[in-house]
Amino acid sequence: MTRPAVFTIPAHRAFADALAAGMIAQHGPDPLGLARTTLLVPNNRAARAISDAFVRRAEGGLLLPRLVAIGDSELDERLGGLLDPIGEAEEEPIPPAIDPLERQMILARLTSEARLAAGDPIDGGEAIRLAGELARTLDQLLIEQVPPARLKDLVSLPELSDHWQRSLAMLDTILTRWPDELAARGRIDMAERRNRLLDRVARGWRLRPPPGAVIAAGISSTTPAVARLLGIVARLPQGMVVLPGLDTISPEEEWIALGPQEPDDEGTNGIGRPPRPVESHPQFALKRLLDRMGVGRAEIETWRWGGGRDARAIRAKAIANAMAPAAFTDKWHRLPPAERRLTGVRAIELSNPAEEAQSIALALREAIETPGRTAALVTPDRVLARRVTAHLARWGIVADDSAGTPLSLTPAGTLLLAVAEAAAEGFAPVPLLALLKHPLVRRGDARGAWLDGVRKLDIALRGPRPPAGLDGVTRYLRDGDGHAKRARAPAIAWWDEVRPLLEPLETAFSRTLNLSPEGDALSSGKLADLLAAVREGVTTLAGDAGWSGPDGRAAADLIAELEAWAPVGPVAFEAAGLAPTLRLLMDAVAVRPPQGGHPRLSIWGLLEARLQHADLMVLGGLNEGVWPALPSPDPWLAPRIRAELGLGGLEARIGLSAHDFAMALGAPELIITRARRDARAPTIASRFWLRLEAMTGGITREHRLPNWAAAIDRPTDRVFTSRPAPKPPVADRPRVIAVTKLDRLQADPFAFYADAMLQLRPLDAVDADPTPAWRGTAVHAVFEAWMKQDGCDPDRLLPRAEAMLRAMAAHPVMQALWEPRLMEGLRWVAERMREDRAQGRRPIVAEQDGRADVGGITLKGKVDRIDRLADGTLAIVDYKTGKPPSAAQVGAGYAMQLGLLGLIAARGGFDGVEGDPLAFEYWSLAKERDAFGQVRSPVGGKSQIAPEDFIAHAAAILTGAVDRWLTGDDAFTAKLAPEYSPYADYDQLMRLDEWYGRGEGDR
């Protein structure tokens, strides 16, 4: 039997360069030798890498071999006459493959119908997600050539839980219908077509070897069809298989321990029952491939040629030792130092991903400072890759991230999502503003005026969410009075121009979205209608800018395909599921920018890095769950079922990641990095990192780069910020103070200065929860109307409140959550008013402004209510939706609001009010213990201030503060009494974090 021609290029050699060097050397002076060679590679990425390697050695010109990717679904066209020689009868044509998106939509419909029949209906978006998982499961069955009919034999396995039995039965039902769907369209699965093509090539070459050389290089796929083809190629007269990084060094017992041989005719593997296969080992896939090719490891020869950018040969021995199966790692302490030393490998362990990205960027920049030197970052962490790209851009270095960016993260993709989310959420403020602010909307000369209008709308929509829909936004902008109406008025005219642009989108989504006052109720609609509405919405708002550039064209292609195949998908589709579905589909579309980055600098994902080396390789993101990634659970097949069917376990992907890592370790100079924590929590070092640490006794650390990274943003001469204390001229200081501002003036004079003199006002958040200020405004509006229109009739308070709340332009969910508590508090107020009336107490004014001259300034305030008591004295009442001030606060000289209002009343500052204020009360509507409502007085009791002394006490505190900061020249120092200045509105302006807690002498 012919000895198979199987070679391996060790991990310490640059695969593509070594392959090119060897093929050129083998063909010698024959200029057509390479041109007559067919080179089979795993994919188009590998073809580009090998082509580049040939170009680097084409000193006097070179005719390249025919490069064919065996993963190409059109393999028959790529091979041409090598598959069907001219003059010979062709085999029966292989049907074309079904479009992947059409396939997913049909499977989504079948899944939806199967779940409905099982009494567990799902919406169309979830059906499309499950269909993607189902498609991957089906591909695994087809690739491993497992007949789907075998599933019927496994449904009744007693070991399976009810959940997996139902899932398996449903899967069998779907796959039973799937062949009929394919037959009706004259199509087959792409995996099935690839299997047939590979088998056809294998049969043809076994019977009629091609005239030229055939070399299969860099292929590590273990699928049966690929293994059969490689087995044929290895035995062709001019055939050859070159494997990447096969371990020929480790002992035979370690090799055997990876897993069983393929079963023989008797159903055994010849060596007894082996332990469970070590699928997470980097050599497991290659061993399985050799087993299926019928080739033993002893028959493998090492490729004689190097790539010119190789590490020392001892590196391959260290890599094999580091990646030994767990059962054999006890040998590490017995190894000679040379076999466990990783010379040229350095490690950097950083605090967080930001530091990691900065250090990597510095390493790459330093490498390319040397002429002719190449550098590459390899990482599966796309966020880290984008961070590094941004850091390099600071120095004018454009990095070519060949892994691309998911379409969902590009401007065109985010615009699609913004349109879908805004419409599905009934144009709630956050998604609405995100859509209108999108950088592609009105891009060009009109964008400045557009953004001016968006800013006005942004200001107007601050606070609690308005009612749903465009009508709800319009009503909210026209609702209210006083300050609210003044804040919203500038946006109304611009909104009236913009609303017609959004109405077609709302009309289309309203077929699935019920914008009733009760909330956002969803009903079923058609996916095609929703997609058409989103497409038209993008065109209306962004024009050609939404569909231009690489990302715009990719978005246009995806939407066109979705619209074309939506009719064969799920019958019903909920509007709320459109944005998640688009995001899911766009995540699978990688947008790669046009070439033009730095010629010696690359950023690769794991797929792009295969078969490639650079002078400096940086392996980033070596944390567990990132490299290797956590195995994705299979929602359709239980682990026991996968084992019964002969499918690989979920840890097989870890083995592929391990092989990628082992191959990258062969670079002559290598830096591995990790961050000790990510954005959420502390991280765990990758198992690969821990192996290297354990074998070497500690990887050599790189200290220069982290120190440089830390120094970049650290100034050489730091100037500490001192506590701000502005001191404007006395003539420019305010001569009017509100009763509610005295506390701020005393506790945080800087905040008073920013508010009263700089006229800076904090903005509410968009779509915010009802703030205390908002709730207080609503409550005061109810009490004012009740006092002035109903004469404080207790029987009219609750009806009055209900009528005003119903008329308020607020979101129904927010009203439903807050209104019951408010009504309980108002019910307590009504009962308390009945009791007070019985004792001769009568309200005389409510929500009235007053003024009084005190110490050379004007004191102003608005009193919630003033009551005439039975003895003729006055009671000053203030409503609170929360807890009233404590006695300790009053005793410390704060919370003087009621005393200052009493001072205004005593001096006749309220029209029609005469008398001596001797009662001061907070009426709190908050819940205390098991009841709503309480009356608290700031005087008497723990405050140790007599009611008759409260006005004089408040006046003295006011006069002292006025003398210091308003008529005096004291500086407005920040945070004099932090315990009594709880609001952080101006903390950033005063740069609080830079000086707070540091003594004046600390520098």
Side-chain angles (χ1 to χ4, degrees):
M1 183 176 179
T2 304
R3 178 187 175 94
V6 183
F7 298 83
T8 181
I9 297 179
H12 71 279
R13 292 182 181 168
F15 184 93
D17 290 284
L19 177 68
M23 291 181 64
I24 292 173
Q26 287 175 341
H27 289 89
D30 184 1
L32 298 179
L34 281 177
R36 288 192 291 265
T37 300
T38 299
L39 185 57
L40 302 180
V41 295
N43 48 49
N44 291 325
R45 297 186 187 95
R48 286 195 296 271
I50 294 173
S51 295
D52 292 342
F54 276 109
V55 171
R56 285 192 290 270
R57 296 179 175 273
E59 297 177 357
L62 196 67
L63 294 176
L64 294 180
R66 176 188 292 184
L67 288 119
V68 179
I70 63 166
D72 198 324
S73 61
E74 304 299 330
L75 184 62
D76 46 353
E77 296 182 8
R78 303 292 181 265
L79 289 174
L82 288 177
L83 180 60
D84 296 308
I86 298 176
E88 297 189 16
E90 295 186 4
E91 296 186 28
E92 181 181 351
I94 299 175
I98 190 170
D99 182 88
L101 190 55
E102 179 186 11
R103 180 193 195 211
Q104 185 170 356
M105 298 303 288
I106 296 174
L107 288 174
R109 173 170 51 82
L110 298 180
T111 302
S112 179
E113 292 172 355
R115 291 286 291 265
L116 182 62
D120 185 19
I122 56 175
D123 67 87
E126 177 65 8
I128 291 176
R129 186 191 70 80
L130 286 175
E133 301 286 351
L134 174 58
R136 283 186 281 275
T137 299
L138 179 57
D139 284 341
Q140 292 179 57
L141 294 172
L142 294 173
I143 288 171
E144 293 295 329
Q145 298 183 339
V146 177
R150 284 191 57 190
L151 294 172
K152 295 181 180 179
D153 303 331
L154 303 176
V155 174
S156 57
L157 280 176
E159 296 89 347
L160 294 179
S161 65
D162 292 342
H163 162 73
W164 285 115
Q165 287 181 342
R166 289 194 301 270
S167 176
L168 196 60
M170 191 178 306
L171 180 62
D172 178 63
T173 301
I174 295 170
L175 296 184
T176 301
R177 298 176 57 190
W178 177 238
D180 296 334
E181 296 281 351
L182 289 175
R185 291 165 173 78
R187 297 285 192 270
I188 60 175
D189 290 294
M190 187 175 292
E192 175 65 19
R193 175 174 170 79
R194 194 176 292 122
N195 284 345
R196 293 190 191 183
L197 285 171
L198 293 173
D199 286 340
R200 182 176 169 185
V201 172
R203 286 194 306 270
W205 286 356
R206 184 175 61 246
L207 298 175
R208 299 179 300 276
V214 178
I215 300 176
I219 300 171
S220 57
S221 172
T222 64
T223 64
V226 170
R228 286 192 293 268
L229 176 60
L230 295 187
I232 296 296
V233 171
R235 294 173 175 86
L236 289 176
Q238 300 184 68
M240 187 185 302
V241 174
V242 184
L243 298 175
L246 179 73
D247 177 15
T248 60
I249 301 173
S250 59
E252 186 67 17
E253 59 179 346
E254 293 184 19
W255 181 257
I256 295 175
L258 296 183
Q261 303 286 336
E262 289 294 302
D264 55 22
D265 294 338
E266 286 75 28
T268 67
N269 52 26
I271 60 173
R273 185 172 181 82
R276 183 178 178 181
V278 188
E279 293 181 305
S280 60
H281 193 275
Q283 295 293 314
F284 177 80
L286 290 174
K287 183 178 187 301
R288 190 176 188 184
L289 175 61
L290 290 180
D291 291 344
R292 289 181 169 179
M293 289 173 60
V295 176
R297 187 175 68 148
E299 299 177 278
I300 310 300
E301 299 182 41
T302 300
W303 192 256
R304 294 192 296 112
W305 296 271
R309 293 187 292 178
D310 306 334
R312 297 174 56 194
I314 194 65
R315 177 74 64 79
K317 185 69 173 177
I319 294 172
N321 288 329
M323 308 308 286
F328 299 90
T329 54
D330 61 337
K331 70 177 182 180
W332 284 345
H333 73 279
R334 298 190 301 270
L335 293 173
E339 294 186 8
R340 56 188 176 90
R341 185 184 299 125
L342 291 171
T343 304
V345 178
R346 294 168 289 162
I348 307 177
E349 196 169 13
L350 288 310
S351 298
N352 53 63
E355 293 182 7
E356 182 181 11
Q358 181 74 280
S359 298
I360 292 173
L362 281 169
L364 299 176
R365 179 184 176 181
E366 181 189 26
I368 62 175
E369 291 290 334
T370 303
R373 185 171 168 81
T374 59
L377 166 64
V378 181
T379 180
D381 187 345
R382 305 313 308 152
V383 176
L384 178 63
R386 287 193 292 272
R387 282 178 180 266
V388 173
T389 301
H391 281 299
L392 291 170
R394 296 172 63 184
W395 304 312
I397 301 173
V398 179
D400 180 15
D401 187 355
S402 60
T405 302
L407 177 58
S408 59
L409 298 180
T410 64
T414 55
L415 179 58
L416 282 174
L417 293 175
V419 172
E421 289 171 351
E425 294 188 32
F427 299 98
V430 171
L432 173 62
L433 292 171
L435 171 60
L436 298 178
K437 293 178 182 179
H438 194 280
L440 294 182
V441 173
R442 290 297 185 270
R443 191 173 69 178
D445 296 339
R447 182 155 177 82
W450 177 269
L451 287 180
D452 287 340
V454 176
R455 293 187 187 101
K456 296 175 183 176
L457 184 64
D458 187 321
I459 297 297
L461 292 180
R462 296 275 167 168
R465 176 182 292 197
L470 298 178
D471 282 339
V473 175
T474 302
R475 186 159 63 92
Y476 179 82
L477 294 177
R478 300 184 186 280
D479 185 50
D481 53 14
H483 174 72
K485 191 167 187 178
R486 289 192 300 271
R488 300 168 188 170
I492 293 176
W494 183 81
W495 173 250
D496 289 340
E497 296 177 4
V498 173
R499 175 175 172 167
L501 304 178
L502 303 175
E503 285 177 344
L505 189 64
E506 182 182 52
T507 301
F509 272 70
S510 65
R511 301 190 185 102
T512 59
L513 189 63
N514 177 21
L515 304 180
S516 65
E518 287 73 21
D520 300 337
L522 294 174
S523 59
S524 298
K526 291 186 177 180
L527 176 59
D529 295 339
L530 297 175
L531 292 170
V534 170
R535 171 173 47 79
E536 291 301 323
V538 170
T539 302
T540 299
L541 293 172
D544 293 340
W547 310 110
S548 60
D551 57 332
R553 290 189 290 273
D557 292 342
L558 177 62
I559 291 297
E561 284 189 77
L562 275 173
E563 286 194 72
W565 302 125
V568 301
V571 176
F573 199 94
E574 293 182 353
L578 181 60
T581 300
L582 286 176
R583 188 184 302 277
L584 176 71
L585 296 175
M586 288 193 292
D587 282 344
V589 179
V591 178
R592 294 178 173 84
Q595 298 297 321
H598 197 286
R600 293 185 286 113
L601 178 62
S602 301
I603 297 179
W604 295 323
L606 298 189
L607 287 176
E608 290 74 25
R610 288 176 184 172
L611 312 185
Q612 302 198 73
H613 267 190
D615 294 324
L616 171 67
M617 296 277 280
V618 181
L619 310 185
L622 277 165
N623 285 324
E624 198 69 12
V626 177
W627 194 352
L630 295 175
S632 299
D634 188 339
W636 291 101
L637 298 180
R640 169 66 189 279
I641 298 174
R642 297 180 65 89
E644 291 287 339
L645 295 174
L647 300 178
L650 297 179
E651 290 193 343
R653 290 189 177 275
I654 295 179
L656 298 178
S657 293
H659 187 259
D660 293 334
F661 179 74
M663 290 293 291
L665 277 179
E669 184 179 356
L670 191 77
I671 297 176
I672 61 175
T673 70
R674 68 172 293 261
R676 286 188 288 269
R677 68 170 297 119
D678 58 18
R680 296 171 296 179
T683 58
I684 299 174
S686 167
R687 63 187 71 183
F688 308 147
W689 176 290
L690 296 177
R691 276 177 170 268
L692 298 185
E693 290 273 54
M695 185 192 74
T696 61
I699 312 171
T700 302
R701 289 303 195 262
E702 166 62 67
H703 298 292
R704 298 173 310 132
L705 295 170
N707 292 337
W708 291 351
I712 285 180
D713 298 317
R714 183 193 301 134
T716 56
D717 50 345
R718 291 182 290 175
V719 178
F720 289 94
T721 298
S722 59
R723 176 184 296 196
K727 195 174 183 180
V730 175
D732 294 339
R733 301 192 180 203
R735 289 296 184 267
V736 178
I737 185 172
V739 296
T740 56
K741 301 299 184 182
L742 177 59
D743 286 356
R744 174 170 285 180
L745 178 60
Q746 294 185 97
D748 192 352
F750 181 88
F752 179 88
Y753 163 80
D755 176 44
M757 296 195 67
L758 300 184
Q759 299 291 308
L760 298 176
R761 304 286 186 270
L763 293 175
D764 290 334
V766 177
D767 204 356
D769 291 333
T771 62
W774 186 91
R775 292 195 296 266
T777 300
V779 169
H780 282 80
V782 170
F783 282 131
E784 182 175 6
W786 174 59
M787 174 80 177
K788 294 180 178 179
Q789 300 178 30
D790 299 326
C792 289
D793 181 358
D795 295 332
R796 290 292 305 154
L797 179 56
L798 295 182
R800 167 67 62 183
E802 291 174 351
M804 294 186 68
L805 290 174
R806 292 291 177 268
M808 185 184 301
H811 197 275
V813 173
M814 184 269 293
Q815 284 189 337
L817 293 175
W818 178 60
E819 184 177 335
R821 299 179 64 89
L822 172 63
M823 298 305 292
E824 285 299 317
L826 294 179
R827 187 172 287 107
W828 169 81
V829 171
E831 291 298 325
R832 180 64 185 244
M833 291 293 290
R834 289 190 183 94
E835 296 174 5
D836 288 348
R837 282 196 172 192
Q839 297 175 7
R841 179 170 174 169
R842 294 290 186 273
I844 55 175
V845 296
E847 301 297 333
Q848 183 170 317
D849 292 317
R851 288 174 175 264
D853 294 332
V854 180
I857 57 96
T858 299
L859 177 67
K860 67 175 184 178
K862 188 173 187 177
V863 68
D864 291 350
R865 199 179 86 214
I866 300 178
D867 291 355
R868 179 80 65 188
L869 301 181
D871 60 0
T873 58
L874 301 179
I876 309 297
V877 177
D878 187 66
Y879 298 116
K880 294 290 185 185
T881 55
K883 291 185 178 180
S886 65
Q889 205 171 345
V890 177
Y894 294 90
M896 296 290 110
Q897 179 182 354
L898 288 183
L900 295 178
L901 290 171
L903 176 62
I904 296 175
R907 297 193 179 186
F910 294 110
D911 291 341
V913 177
E914 296 180 356
D916 296 326
L918 293 180
F920 305 91
E921 298 174 347
Y922 288 112
W923 286 37
S924 173
L925 278 63
K927 186 177 183 179
E928 185 175 10
R929 295 185 178 90
D930 296 329
F932 285 88
Q934 56 181 311
V935 175
R936 291 280 182 86
S937 176
V939 295
K942 294 181 180 180
S943 71
Q944 298 181 353
I945 301 174
E948 59 271 16
D949 298 331
F950 189 36
I951 293 178
H953 179 70
I957 292 176
L958 172 64
T959 302
V962 168
D963 289 344
R964 290 185 62 185
W965 289 291
L966 300 187
T967 60
D969 62 353
D970 275 17
F972 290 96
T973 306
K975 296 290 183 183
L976 284 182
E979 64 274 23
Y980 294 112
S981 56
Y983 300 107
D985 297 338
Y986 303 100
D987 284 0
Q988 186 176 13
L989 182 65
M990 68 177 66
R991 299 169 70 171
L992 181 72
D993 292 339
E994 299 183 35
W995 57 264
Y996 188 73
R998 190 178 70 237
E1000 292 298 330
D1002 297 339
R1003 291 290 184 268

